Amino acid sequence: MVQRVQRVHSAGQRSYLKLASATVAVLAAFGLAGCGGDDDGGASASPGVSLDEAKPGGGGTPAAGGASIEEAKPGGGGGGAPGSSATIKVEGESLSLFGDVATARVMVPPVAWRADGSLPTNTTLRNARDVPAAGLKELAPGAYVELPTSDDSVLSLSTGTITDIAGNGQYAIGRWTAGSDSAGHTYAANQGQVWAVGVPIQVTMALDEKLTCSLVASTRPTATDGNTAPGSLDDASATVRFEKDVFDQFVPKADISLRYSIGSDKGQSFEGATWLGAIQTSTATRSSLMTRLVGSDPSKPYLVVSYGVSAPSTGGINGIAVLSCK
């Protein structure tokens, strides 16, 4: 997924850019690094391509070089039916998305970003997709057990625990852990599949404006190898601004700062940047970032950040965070 940027003029005043979602395939013929990635072998979805806006229920393609794991179809297939309340436990409290929302934005990152910052293989990179909200299923408010990824595909938790849940009606996040899902993933208590759902939003900003974002909710960071107990995301901040890409187009970019603790890695910091709505991986910084805006108020959107970074002692860690922007 990338952000489509549309220039809007207002009666001779400042130029404004309208941020809208669009879907782009990263083609193997171009090479990932040639599509906006780092020279070190990292990659991001090409941010400068102008495409039609994504329609609800559509969007998303596996990144080049990755083998797509088939997702479960409603009614069967893909590794088993969704679990019931007898096989799934819910920890914590949250809120469901607003009931009058017809379309939901669903973000399902890989179960684990690679610790060296290279693009994951043998997985489907399910960036944020806009799908009918009626396809979302929850066992408790904000504790989602089924996540539609298209009109006819859904990822569901088969057994395990839904934990680290948080939400306010405009977004909801959580982590599936100590179980398995319909795509064939299994994870121990110290691992898990993070996810986020939110209200789709379109934000318009002037070229000289920016959004300043601060942490409001997060899952606990987990170790890729599962050998360390979940830690904490102690703080996070971001600035969303416009910057010219390699195609000389103005594209929204997010500068992200994280401070986390896990195992013996206390108060560690990470700083990175990614085109808004893109997947950015870097072997130089051994990091992976995926971002998207959600919310109901265009003047106060929420920035959802999926991250994978390398902690000094723990190694690769993963998590998801929600930041309030203004």
Side-chain angles (χ1 to χ4, degrees):
M1 292 286 292
V2 302
Q3 291 290 349
R4 180 191 179 195
V5 181
Q6 177 182 352
R7 189 182 298 275
V8 179
H9 297 279
S10 176
Q13 298 178 358
R14 292 183 297 175
S15 292
Y16 287 78
L17 295 186
K18 186 178 295 184
L19 284 60
S21 61
T23 305
V24 65
V26 182
L27 301 178
F30 289 100
L32 288 172
C35 291
D38 301 326
D39 292 336
D40 56 32
S44 68
S46 172
V49 182
S50 180
L51 301 170
D52 290 336
E53 293 187 7
K55 303 299 188 294
T61 58
S68 174
I69 296 176
E70 183 180 359
E71 297 169 5
K73 303 297 188 296
S84 66
S85 57
T87 58
I88 296 176
K89 181 173 67 172
V90 176
E91 295 179 341
E93 296 182 352
S94 182
L95 293 176
S96 308
L97 285 190
F98 292 141
D100 59 352
V101 173
T103 302
R105 184 157 290 162
V106 178
M107 178 188 282
V108 186
V111 172
W113 292 107
R114 285 193 164 185
D116 64 357
S118 60
L119 195 69
T121 57
N122 299 319
T123 188
T124 299
L125 294 178
R126 305 179 186 92
N127 202 346
R129 304 180 183 181
D130 294 350
V131 297
L136 293 169
K137 305 297 181 186
E138 55 188 359
L139 289 185
Y144 290 95
V145 69
E146 291 187 25
L147 303 169
T149 53
S150 72
D151 280 338
D152 61 356
S153 297
V154 61
L155 182 68
S156 59
L157 182 63
S158 303
T159 62
T161 299
I162 308 174
T163 190
D164 294 350
I165 56 176
N168 67 354
Q170 300 181 62
Y171 70 84
I173 60 171
R175 175 169 59 96
W176 296 345
T177 186
S180 61
D181 61 37
S182 59
H185 302 127
T186 59
Y187 17 76
N190 290 341
Q191 300 170 309
Q193 169 71 71
V194 298
W195 48 264
V197 299
V199 178
I201 194 171
Q202 181 172 274
V203 177
T204 300
M205 283 172 44
L207 284 175
D208 58 354
E209 288 182 330
K210 65 181 180 180
L211 293 173
T212 301
C213 313
S214 57
L215 181 67
V216 293
S218 68
T219 62
R220 290 173 290 172
T222 56
T224 301
D225 60 15
N227 292 330
T228 306
S232 62
L233 185 63
D234 303 322
D235 194 16
S237 60
T239 300
V240 179
R241 57 185 171 77
F242 285 108
E243 182 176 303
K244 282 191 175 182
D245 64 5
V246 294
F247 302 101
D248 204 34
Q249 300 293 315
F250 282 104
V251 179
K253 194 170 189 177
D255 298 309
I256 297 167
S257 177
L258 307 174
R259 186 165 56 85
Y260 63 88
S261 298
I262 184 170
S264 61
D265 298 309
K266 306 296 185 182
Q268 298 295 316
S269 298
F270 167 80
E271 305 226 355
T274 181
W275 302 111
L276 189 62
I279 298 167
Q280 184 88 25
T281 65
S282 171
T283 55
T285 60
R286 293 191 294 174
S287 65
S288 304
L289 294 169
M290 184 165 68
T291 57
R292 201 65 165 144
L293 290 174
V294 299
S296 300
D297 184 350
S299 67
K300 298 178 181 178
Y302 291 94
L303 177 67
V304 181
V305 179
S306 164
Y307 65 88
V309 301
S310 182
S313 299
T314 307
I317 64 171
N318 305 268
I320 206 163
V322 179
L323 289 74
S324 176
C325 305
K326 60 183 180 180

